[in-house]
């Protein structure tokens, strides 16, 4: 079964069903079953994939024929890992909500977002890509605004304005490129075949780059992120950090680099400076945080800054590191936010000054949290190691000083992550942690799955690298490398 259109449609069908379910127990069980069905449908795409660099499973249907719009989808070695990541993480995120009382409308929004994400990662038509981009944005806005806490309305309005502004810039660039295509279509192949002059490539670069940089986010377009991550419900934060920010990095690789390579040659170094600066800047701020959720939000800016720098290296090593590290970051950050959600539910606080000594009361939680922390740091034999190694090697090939500053992520990341672990798990118990109950049942199984994947990808990174290597090599040819 390799019908890509059916795979994208399945969560929408589930969302329609769940939108009528008001009983929260039935809603979460139904959501889990439906998310597992989508995951099951994804497996044949992975097993039958031909990793030779070409697009697989292509389907094209006429959509808005008067304007040359086709519903054209397909996957290659760059998009398939992200498609698989999306459909792997959604069931895990559903499991993290099993002790909540969400009704079907919450899960319906999650599934609509899942379909939008899959459309982004499989669209071979720029208009279809834009539709998926917007479809993924709208549900997460309502998830964060309706189920968030604190100052959620203000921060989500800021999030929406930022992302809508970026989307508008991207739409203008897409429409302009469409006008230059002799065949009057929005096809990816048509866009990358255009012979654009240098001045045109420059403004299109900035239109695309700002749209993608906001979503990732890359400094200085990051200011919406810490507040949104902090005040969103835990599941919403996992969707944003685990999957949605990968849309921006994917956009760089799929649309920016091959469509305007001359502009990338001109402005790529500036983009690299912004990415590497974000690594140091966000890490220093993360070290100073007392709110554990906000700490991970800033750590995410640092990690994706390094991943984005890998994209702009223009070499196969750096881009391969970016591919595998997108997957690794998605798995690890979902685990981190889930552990912090568990701690907040049991203690009523996520302030590090209120915590401590949890390992004495919850040894199982302490063990899986340590594995996830080690993966986030990049300890050898965990998932983060090979990704950071390839990224830094690729950045070194691009420029030694960029690697020197980018490599600070190894030191600074260890500082804030180990500080997080020490302030929560070690030391003496506080008034809030004195009666902490260890994880069991769904919480334990979910974190065991995440920990197992962290270790598996650390030991067998080729299971991901062999899928993407040929497509990354093809991408490098667009850049003349």
């Amino acid at each position: 079964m390799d019908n890509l259109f059916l795979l994208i449609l399945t969560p929408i069908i589930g969302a329609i069903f769940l939108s009528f379910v008001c009983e929260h127990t039935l809603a979460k069980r139904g959501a889990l079953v439906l998310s597992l069905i989508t995951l099951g449908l994804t497996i044949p795409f992975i097993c039958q994939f031909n990793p030779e660099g070409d697009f697989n499973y292509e389907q094209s249907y006429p959509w808005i024929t008067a304007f040359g719009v086709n519903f054209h989808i397909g996957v290659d070695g760059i998009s398939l890992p992200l498609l698989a990541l999306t459909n792997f993480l959604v069931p895990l995120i559903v499991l993290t909500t099993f002790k909540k009382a969400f009704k079907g409308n919450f899960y319906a929004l999650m599934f609509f977002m899942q379909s939008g994400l899959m459309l982004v990662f499989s669209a071979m038509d720029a208009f279809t890509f834009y539709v998926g981009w917007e479809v993924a944005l709208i549900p997460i806005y309502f998830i964060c605004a309706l189920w968030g806490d604190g100052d959620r309305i203000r921060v989500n309005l800021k999030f929406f304005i930022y992302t809508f502004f970026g989307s508008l810039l991207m739409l203008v660039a897409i429409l302009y490129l469409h006008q230059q295509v002799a065949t009057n279509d929005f096809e990816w192949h048509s866009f990358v075949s255009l012979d654009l002059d240098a001045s045109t490539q420059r403004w299109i670069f900035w239109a695309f780059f700002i749209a993608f940089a906001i979503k990732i986010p890359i400094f200085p377009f990051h200011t919406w992120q810490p507040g949104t991550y902090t005040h969103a419900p835990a599941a919403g934060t996992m969707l944003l950090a685990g999957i949605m920010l990968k849309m921006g990095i994917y956009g760089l690789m799929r649309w920016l680099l091959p469509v305007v390579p001359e502009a990338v040659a001109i402005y790529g170094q500036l983009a690299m400076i912004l990415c590497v600066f974000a690594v140091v800047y966000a890490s220093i701020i993360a070290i100073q945080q007392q709110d554990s959720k906000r700490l991970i939000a800033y750590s995410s800016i640092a990690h994706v800054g390094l991943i984005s720098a890998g994209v702009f290296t223009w070499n196969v090593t750096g881009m391969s590191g970016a591919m595998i590290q997108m997957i690794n970051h998605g798995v690890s950050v979902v685990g981190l936010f889930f552990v912090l959600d568990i701690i907040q539910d049991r203690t009523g606080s996520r302030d590090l000054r209120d915590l401590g000594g949890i390992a004495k009361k919850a040894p199982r939680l302490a063990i899986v949290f340590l594995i996830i922390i080690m993966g986030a740091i990049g300890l050898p034999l965990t998932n983060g190691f090979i990704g950071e190694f390839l990224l830094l090697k690729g950045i070194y090939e691009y420029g030694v000083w960029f690697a020197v500053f980018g490599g600070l992520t190894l030191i600074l990341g260890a500082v804030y992550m180990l500080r997080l672990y020490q302030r929560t798990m070690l030391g003496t118990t506080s008034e809030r942690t004195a009666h902490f109950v260890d994880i069991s049942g769904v919480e334990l199984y979910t974190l065991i799955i995440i920990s197992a994947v962290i270790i598996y990808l650390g030991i067998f990174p080729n299971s991901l690298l062999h899928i993407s290597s040929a497509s990354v090599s093809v991408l490098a040819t667009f850049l003349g490398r």
Side-chain angles (χ1 to χ4, degrees):
M1 181 60 177
D2 56 8
N3 190 312
L4 188 56
F5 176 72
L6 178 61
L7 181 67
I8 295 171
L9 185 63
T10 300
I12 295 178
I13 297 172
I16 294 171
F17 165 74
L18 287 169
S19 62
F20 295 100
V21 179
C22 295
E23 206 281 313
H24 62 84
T25 302
L26 178 60
K28 61 190 175 188
R29 290 177 179 174
L32 179 62
V33 171
L34 290 166
S35 64
L36 289 174
I37 290 173
T38 305
L39 176 60
L41 292 174
T42 310
I43 295 173
F45 290 88
I46 301 171
C47 296
Q48 300 169 20
F49 180 73
N50 180 14
E52 299 298 323
D54 295 326
F55 284 90
N56 290 217
Y57 316 115
E58 281 193 61
Q59 294 174 260
S60 184
Y61 307 99
W63 189 5
I64 310 174
T65 54
F67 296 98
V69 177
N70 297 307
F71 190 85
H72 188 186
I73 52 178
V75 293
D76 66 351
I78 295 173
S79 50
L80 180 63
L82 294 170
L83 195 78
L85 175 71
T86 300
N87 294 340
F88 169 71
L89 289 182
V90 167
L92 289 179
I93 294 171
V94 171
L95 283 172
T96 68
T97 67
F98 261 46
K99 290 197 173 181
K100 312 290 185 180
F102 295 130
K103 297 181 180 179
N105 54 359
F106 178 88
Y107 298 106
L109 289 169
M110 184 186 296
F111 284 173
F112 274 121
M113 180 182 175
Q114 183 182 10
S115 284
L117 289 163
M118 285 196 285
L119 188 57
V120 165
F121 297 139
S122 60
M124 298 180 65
D125 174 279
F127 189 86
T128 304
F129 173 82
Y130 181 79
V131 170
W133 186 273
E134 293 302 300
V135 167
L137 167 64
I138 296 169
I140 193 63
Y141 170 78
F142 283 107
I143 286 173
C144 296
L146 296 177
W147 288 276
D149 59 21
D151 195 16
R152 64 185 187 276
I153 301 301
R154 184 187 63 82
V155 298
N156 277 286
L157 181 60
K158 183 177 182 179
F159 164 55
F160 185 83
I161 291 172
Y162 260 77
T163 51
F164 186 77
F165 173 72
S167 299
L168 183 60
L169 290 177
M170 180 170 64
L171 179 61
V172 171
I174 288 172
L175 292 175
Y176 177 85
L177 291 169
H178 166 68
Q179 294 297 318
Q180 312 310 307
V181 175
T183 51
N184 192 41
D185 60 49
F186 289 86
E187 295 292 323
W188 178 82
H189 292 290
S190 299
F191 279 21
V192 300
S193 300
L194 287 171
D195 184 19
L196 301 171
D197 61 77
S199 61
T200 300
Q201 286 203 29
R202 288 173 184 175
W203 79 259
I204 290 177
F205 171 92
W206 287 111
F208 274 128
F209 177 77
I210 292 173
F212 300 144
I214 289 171
K215 190 74 72 175
I216 294 173
I218 295 173
F219 178 91
F221 307 101
H222 68 288
T223 58
W224 64 268
Q225 190 254 43
T228 304
Y229 280 26
T230 302
H231 295 293
T237 307
M238 293 175 204
L239 289 166
L240 282 165
I243 312 172
M244 193 168 184
L245 68 80
K246 311 306 185 295
M247 292 167 55
I249 303 172
Y250 174 79
L252 295 176
M253 300 181 76
R254 173 64 72 224
W255 296 97
L256 182 72
L257 271 63
V259 173
V260 288
E262 291 182 30
V264 175
I266 296 170
Y267 297 118
Q269 188 173 67
L270 175 58
M272 177 70 79
I273 292 170
L274 294 176
C275 294
V276 173
F277 179 80
V279 173
V280 181
Y281 162 81
S283 296
I284 292 173
I285 295 179
I287 292 171
Q288 301 172 354
Q289 296 303 304
Q290 297 299 334
D291 185 318
S292 57
K293 201 174 181 183
R294 201 170 182 87
L295 186 156
I296 299 302
Y298 276 105
S299 80
S300 184
I301 295 175
H303 281 99
V304 298
L306 191 66
I307 295 170
S308 301
V311 173
F312 284 105
T313 58
W314 279 43
N315 58 59
V316 172
T317 305
M319 290 189 290
S320 295
M323 277 304 309
I324 190 171
Q325 198 66 352
M326 277 195 281
I327 308 304
N328 295 334
H329 176 264
V331 174
S332 296
V333 80
V334 165
L336 288 169
F337 278 120
F338 184 36
V339 170
L340 297 184
D341 186 50
I342 291 171
I343 292 173
Q344 184 176 358
D345 282 347
R346 283 166 168 67
T347 65
S349 176
R350 55 177 184 250
D351 192 317
L352 296 178
R353 292 166 293 195
D354 295 334
L355 306 175
I358 293 176
K360 298 175 182 177
K361 302 293 181 178
R364 290 192 293 268
L365 178 62
I367 291 171
V368 292
F369 192 27
L370 182 62
I371 293 172
I372 296 168
I373 289 280
M374 293 299 105
I377 291 173
L379 188 76
L381 300 183
T382 65
N383 62 342
F385 173 73
I386 188 64
E388 289 197 350
F389 173 79
L390 291 174
L391 284 170
L392 292 174
K393 184 175 184 296
I395 295 170
Y396 180 84
E397 293 173 11
Y398 180 89
V400 174
W401 283 108
F402 288 109
V404 169
F405 287 100
L408 289 175
T409 185
L410 300 175
I411 301 171
L412 298 175
V415 171
Y416 60 70
M417 283 297 180
L418 292 177
R419 173 176 174 268
L420 172 65
Y421 190 82
Q422 186 270 328
R423 296 290 295 272
T424 55
M425 297 291 131
L426 306 180
T428 58
T429 57
S430 67
E431 182 180 344
R432 291 180 180 270
T433 61
H435 303 289
F436 198 97
V437 178
D438 205 354
I439 54 173
S440 61
V442 173
E443 293 175 337
L444 178 62
Y445 300 143
T446 303
L447 289 172
I448 285 176
I449 292 171
I450 292 172
S451 301
V453 172
I454 287 172
I455 294 171
Y456 174 82
L457 292 178
I459 298 174
F460 303 106
N462 275 335
S463 58
L464 282 177
L465 289 173
H466 92 279
I467 293 176
S468 61
S469 59
S471 294
V472 168
S473 298
V474 170
L475 175 59
T477 63
F478 283 102
L479 308 173
R481 295 301 175 99

